[in-house]
Amino acid sequence: VTGPIWDLVVVGAGPAGTAAAAAALRQHPQARVLLLDRADFPRDKVCGDGIAAEVFDLLDELRLPDAAAGCPPVGRLRLVSPGGATADGALRRPALVIPRAVFDDRLVTAVLAWGAVLRRHRLRDLQQHNDMVLLDGEIRARVVVGADGAESTVRRLLGVAPNRPAHVAIALRGYAPVATDLAGTQVIAMARRGWPAYAWSFPIGDGRANVGYGHRLDRSTGRAETLTELDRLLPGAADGITQVRGHRLPLSTSRPRVATGRVLLAGDALSLVNPLTGEGVHAAVLSGMLAGRAALSGADAGRRYRHALRSALGRHLRHVGVAALLGRRTAVIDAGVAAAARDPAAFDDLVDLGLTDGLLTPRVLRGLVRSAVHHPGQ
Ligand SMILES: Cc1cc2nc3c(=O)[nH]c(=O)nc-3n(C[C@H](O)[C@H](O)[C@H](O)COP(=O)(O)OP(=O)(O)OC[C@H]3O[C@@H](n4cnc5c(N)ncnc54)[C@H](O)[C@@H]3O)c2cc1C
């Protein structure tokens, strides 16, 4: 094998992969960083396109500041629980809805300007040696970050099984003209039938909205039935829908052990999707950033990464796991949304738990208890 030994090879140039490359180059501007992606950019990625404000804090830290340019913030969120409780409030920090074809391409462009190299390449094989990793028999790397998404090849090649169906969601999304009453608001309407499942409408600012419906993989639903459910929960929102595509979401309620060697997993490849909301971009950027930092920090990148990830996300992942377990009962979700409708601070806490790295706070727990006492059996 000839050619350079790359300091870091990142497989997958989505948010996790570009954050990894950016973090590595920020620490070591001379490092040789190669990004591999099977797709040409710009490329579509099936997503709700909702990007939490906190993602932009991380991107600022990585000096990737322009990903939101020209996209109007969406300041309101409406939650409708399975039993019909509604919380409609201003977000403490407005979110952005940016088609991933745009968002991801901006991140890739920025890391290339920093000195990363992008190659179109679909990874098929990976062999770990003492001093390096050999990819597809031709690319040598000191460290590899597997950021290749929900169907991660790197993860499979490490011998790590995919999540079982109870810990995977599947969702369909498309773009449709935004219904007048849904403009300027992110709406999440939860289903009673087939719970956990919900429909969403997230306006992208050009008269259209990203609309979709997601449910757990072990509750099988065909495409036609999915679109019917979407229309039932958000009547009219999917009228004129185009670009309908589906994709899996590996939920953080079942995560593989983080490796300790030269191959690190980040983002969806590590099953970091929030089980309450399907949000995954924040954890993808955060984990990618930590993986990229650990990658060039010397011996045992994997161990450093594991510690960094645990201290950044460990508590949140435990809390959201407990919340998902409690939330299997629709009555708990009804009580949570009712609590959020009464108390703007509880609303903020729930948003943080669902969209970034928030915790199940005493305020939310008190709200749950109060709702249960006042509306038992709801
Ligand atoms: C329908 C739907 C709605 C969602 N809505 C939201 C939302 O509104 N907000 C939110 O925060 N999250 C949402 N998510 C989750 C979010 O999309 C993911 O968590 C996020 O994209 C994870 O980023 P990533 O970088 O880990 O992986 P990805 O964004 O999937 O990027 C992986 C990259 O790896 C490349 N790749 C894959 N295999 C290979 C290979 N073998 N060789 C080379 N390259 C490869 C792919 O081409 C891709 O570019 C949603 C997901 C779905 C399915």
Side-chain angles (χ1 to χ4, degrees):
V1 180
T2 53
I5 297 193
W6 297 91
D7 296 308
L8 171 62
V9 172
V10 180
V11 185
T18 45
L25 285 164
R26 183 140 159 54
Q27 275 192 333
H28 300 274
Q30 306 305 324
R32 291 207 277 201
V33 176
L34 175 64
L35 270 171
L36 302 177
D37 203 291
R38 65 179 179 199
D40 266 332
F41 281 79
R43 59 104 179 86
D44 184 23
K45 155 73 179 85
V46 178
C47 186
D49 300 334
I51 317 284
E54 286 75 3
V55 171
F56 297 94
D57 299 342
L58 297 173
L59 296 178
D60 281 348
E61 212 179 314
L62 289 168
R63 300 219 191 120
L64 302 172
D66 299 324
C71 298
V74 183
R76 294 192 75 78
L77 173 67
R78 186 185 310 157
L79 299 171
V80 183
S81 79
T86 301
D88 190 336
L91 289 163
R92 192 169 44 84
R93 299 182 64 191
L96 283 115
V97 187
I98 312 174
R100 293 284 302 276
V102 175
F103 181 72
D104 291 23
D105 190 52
R106 287 177 172 174
L107 298 186
V108 168
T109 304
V111 295
L112 296 187
W114 275 69
V117 174
L118 174 66
R119 194 183 292 172
R120 184 171 178 181
H121 180 105
R122 176 194 288 262
L123 178 85
R124 294 170 201 281
D125 183 47
L126 174 154
Q127 286 169 25
Q128 297 198 58
H129 298 276
N130 273 346
D131 55 345
M132 58 112 184
V133 184
L134 184 62
L135 303 164
D136 289 330
E138 52 163 323
I139 301 166
R140 291 183 296 174
R142 298 248 176 259
V143 177
V144 171
V145 172
D148 49 347
E151 317 280 349
S152 173
T153 302
V154 176
R155 173 170 168 158
R156 179 170 52 75
L157 293 170
L158 288 175
V160 179
N163 282 15
R164 282 176 290 112
H167 300 280
V168 179
I170 185 154
L172 272 190
R173 75 88 237 252
Y175 294 94
V178 68
T180 349
D181 58 325
L182 303 182
T185 302
Q186 285 190 307
V187 184
I188 293 181
M190 302 170 220
R192 183 184 275 283
R193 221 179 73 192
W195 175 257
Y198 76 79
W200 73 85
S201 167
F202 295 170
I204 60 175
D206 66 354
R208 293 179 302 154
N210 178 315
V211 290
Y213 179 89
H215 60 92
R216 248 172 40 192
L217 193 58
D218 58 348
R219 311 252 198 281
S220 73
T221 307
R223 184 182 167 117
E225 201 186 324
T226 297
L227 291 172
T228 308
E229 277 301 292
L230 169 54
D231 194 55
R232 200 175 59 76
L233 290 166
L234 291 174
D239 290 355
I241 195 169
T242 58
Q243 293 170 260
V244 179
R245 289 178 61 202
H247 201 77
R248 291 181 182 206
L249 303 92
L251 305 176
S252 70
T253 42
S254 164
R255 298 179 307 281
R257 195 178 148 75
V258 182
T260 47
R262 292 177 180 274
V263 184
L264 322 180
L265 296 174
D268 281 12
L270 190 61
S271 301
L272 288 182
V273 174
N274 190 306
L276 297 176
T277 58
E279 202 278 352
V281 173
H282 181 264
V285 172
L286 181 57
S287 61
M289 181 172 114
L290 299 176
R293 272 186 199 153
L296 300 191
S297 62
D300 208 351
R303 203 163 56 87
R304 276 175 193 260
Y305 175 48
R306 197 164 70 200
H307 287 153
L309 198 60
R310 189 185 302 143
S311 71
L313 270 182
R315 266 186 96 202
H316 162 72
L317 290 170
R318 282 195 299 280
H319 280 231
V320 86
V322 169
L325 205 64
L326 294 172
R328 281 187 190 168
R329 295 188 51 217
T330 53
V332 174
I333 302 294
D334 292 339
V337 173
R342 277 194 311 268
D343 174 5
F347 181 82
D348 291 343
D349 289 353
L350 270 185
V351 169
D352 288 346
L353 183 68
L355 297 190
T356 59
D357 53 3
L359 304 177
L360 205 46
T361 59
R363 213 156 30 203
V364 168
L365 290 170
R366 272 197 305 273
L368 282 176
V369 171
R370 203 180 135 198
S371 297
V373 170
H374 290 286
H375 308 282
Q378 198 186 44

